[in-house]
Amino acid sequence: MSDPQTSPAPRKDSLIVTRFGFVSIQLVLVAVALLSVGIAVSLGQVDVPLADSYRILLYKLSGIQIGDMSDILAGQHLNIIWNIRFPRVILALLIGAGLSLCGTVMQAAVQNPLADPYILGVSSGASLGATFSIMIGFGTMGFLGQTGVAFWAFAGAFGASMLVLALAGIGGKMSSVKLVLSGMVINALCTAFANFIIYFANNTEGIRSVTFWTMGSLAAAKWDRLPLVAIIVLAAALLFLFQSRILNTMLLGDETAVTLGINLNLYRRIYLLFTAVITGVMVASCGMIGFVGLIIPHLVRGIVGSDHRRLMPTSILIGGIFLVWTDVLARIAIPKVELPIGIITALIGAPMFMYMLIKKGYNFGGK
């Protein structure tokens, strides 16, 4: 009997993996991530020399000074780098990694290449919660250091996910088809309620706030907001990095899983519950950022294959790097104007997805 940990993955490894090796790819991605952080904190409406950015970060993180830094420490660059841009870049790394991780898990759990972190109605539930908070006036309520909007967005996302799981489990065993259909139903229902609130609220400023929030933005990144997101995303990454055997088995289907003695229905419920919580926290922190959880796993499959031992860590790293650079584009694309990051991810992600569909240069489930 084949090993479920390796059998779902394509037998023919990618040329990139064969030539450089998986470990080398991870080391290169880590180096690219570190370089991206330094460049990202240097770019913006006020350009900071790259060398100064690294010196400031090194000083704040370790207390080590390189050369005479009296002018740097007395100027505005220190505040720009450490209090404004660096928390934002770290949040971008975490959100990109988390969305890619959740997208990879969701695509395996529901056995659908079009699955993304929002398939359980998380986006529509979060939108309903945020709309309720902004338009009705509960935006001042706090929750674990987050704003009232973040609290209601998380509550809406988590509530919608629970409704989807409950609906998909009615009448027998949960299946991937029932999950997708239940997600569509709850998505339509939450969207209708959100539009109902907007229509009768008659609040122009609130409508603008809701619209900007639903497009996603990292502008609200602060040091006090990072711990919750960091703990959730890092804990989830640590968990799912050790779940490659189960995730690979999910790609083989329920019948194969029964033969191997694995209760996929139980694992599917647990994984979907975890991804709902993770995605809810991320959406509450920065709004809805589309295409990252959908595109990145497909892109990575074309590099390292479908085996989750390679797919999961590579998706986490590339997802973080991708969102860092899309946030840079959102900040500098138009002078003195910051675009919602969801616009940038859609403009980049949609053509990439069309290219992959035309080329068919990726594998899903080893097929």
Side-chain angles (χ1 to χ4, degrees):
M1 185 178 296
S2 61
D3 183 4
Q5 188 171 358
T6 58
S7 53
R11 294 182 180 274
K12 183 178 180 181
D13 287 334
S14 168
L15 178 62
I16 298 178
V17 175
T18 303
R19 181 174 299 175
F20 298 106
F22 174 70
V23 176
S24 299
I25 292 177
Q26 304 307 300
L27 293 176
V28 169
L29 289 176
V30 170
V32 171
L34 294 176
L35 181 63
S36 299
V37 169
I39 298 175
V41 298
S42 300
L43 298 176
Q45 302 300 327
V46 177
D47 289 334
V48 180
L50 182 60
D52 289 350
S53 298
Y54 279 114
R55 291 168 67 189
I56 290 172
L57 293 179
L58 181 63
Y59 169 73
K60 295 296 291 186
L61 293 173
S62 64
I64 299 175
Q65 294 190 33
I66 299 180
D68 183 12
M69 296 182 59
S70 57
D71 292 340
I72 297 177
L73 298 179
Q76 64 174 346
H77 287 175
L78 177 63
N79 182 60
I80 292 174
I81 294 296
W82 184 251
N83 293 323
I84 299 176
R85 292 183 184 172
F86 192 50
R88 180 170 181 151
V89 172
I90 296 300
L91 182 62
L93 276 173
L94 293 171
I95 298 297
L99 289 174
S100 299
L101 181 149
C102 291
T104 303
V105 173
M106 293 296 298
Q107 289 172 8
V110 303
Q111 300 169 14
N112 190 330
L114 295 179
D116 69 357
Y118 304 134
I119 196 173
L120 291 182
V122 172
S123 60
S124 58
S127 178
L128 175 59
T131 301
F132 177 80
S133 173
I134 294 171
M135 305 301 287
I136 304 300
F138 288 96
T140 58
M141 183 179 296
F143 177 68
L144 294 180
Q146 303 283 354
T147 64
V149 176
F151 166 74
W152 286 104
F154 175 80
F158 187 75
S161 301
M162 294 304 98
L163 285 176
V164 171
L165 292 176
L167 184 60
I170 294 176
K173 185 177 68 173
M174 180 189 300
S175 66
S176 58
V177 175
K178 290 173 67 177
L179 275 170
V180 174
L181 294 177
S182 299
M184 294 176 62
V185 170
I186 299 302
N187 179 73
L189 189 62
C190 291
T191 301
F193 276 114
N195 290 335
F196 179 84
I197 294 174
I198 291 174
Y199 185 80
F200 284 99
N202 193 25
N203 184 345
T204 304
E205 185 63 29
I207 292 175
R208 291 184 59 188
S209 299
V210 169
T211 302
F212 189 82
W213 188 89
T214 56
M215 292 180 183
S217 175
L218 300 173
K222 303 293 181 184
W223 283 116
D224 60 350
R225 296 193 174 198
L226 287 181
L228 177 62
V229 179
I231 291 172
I232 294 294
V233 172
L234 294 178
L238 184 62
L239 169 67
F240 285 112
L241 284 174
F242 292 96
Q243 298 296 310
S244 58
R245 176 176 176 269
I246 303 298
L247 291 169
N248 284 342
T249 306
M250 285 179 171
L251 295 180
L252 292 173
D254 290 3
E255 294 182 359
T256 303
V258 171
T259 304
L260 297 172
I262 298 175
N263 185 358
L264 279 194
N265 190 44
L266 174 62
Y267 280 105
R268 184 176 288 118
R269 287 179 180 272
I270 294 173
Y271 289 175
L272 295 180
L273 178 62
F274 282 169
T275 54
V277 173
I278 300 162
T279 307
V281 170
M282 292 188 295
V283 170
S285 301
C286 59
M288 290 173 290
I289 303 175
F291 277 97
V292 180
L294 175 64
I295 294 297
I296 298 300
H298 287 299
L299 179 65
V300 174
R301 285 189 187 93
I303 300 174
V304 301
S306 296
D307 187 349
H308 285 83
R309 290 177 301 176
R310 296 175 172 177
L311 176 62
M312 186 64 70
T314 311
S315 294
I316 290 172
L317 288 172
I318 292 182
I321 295 170
F322 174 77
L323 202 63
V324 167
W325 283 105
T326 51
D327 183 54
V328 170
L329 288 176
R331 287 190 279 122
I332 69 174
I334 301 178
K336 299 182 180 180
V337 174
E338 179 179 323
L339 293 174
I341 193 172
I343 295 177
I344 305 297
T345 56
L347 289 175
I348 297 175
M352 287 176 60
F353 197 60
M354 288 188 289
Y355 172 77
M356 288 189 292
L357 286 176
I358 295 172
K359 185 179 179 182
K360 296 181 180 180
Y362 65 90
N363 292 290
F364 183 76
K367 299 178 182 178

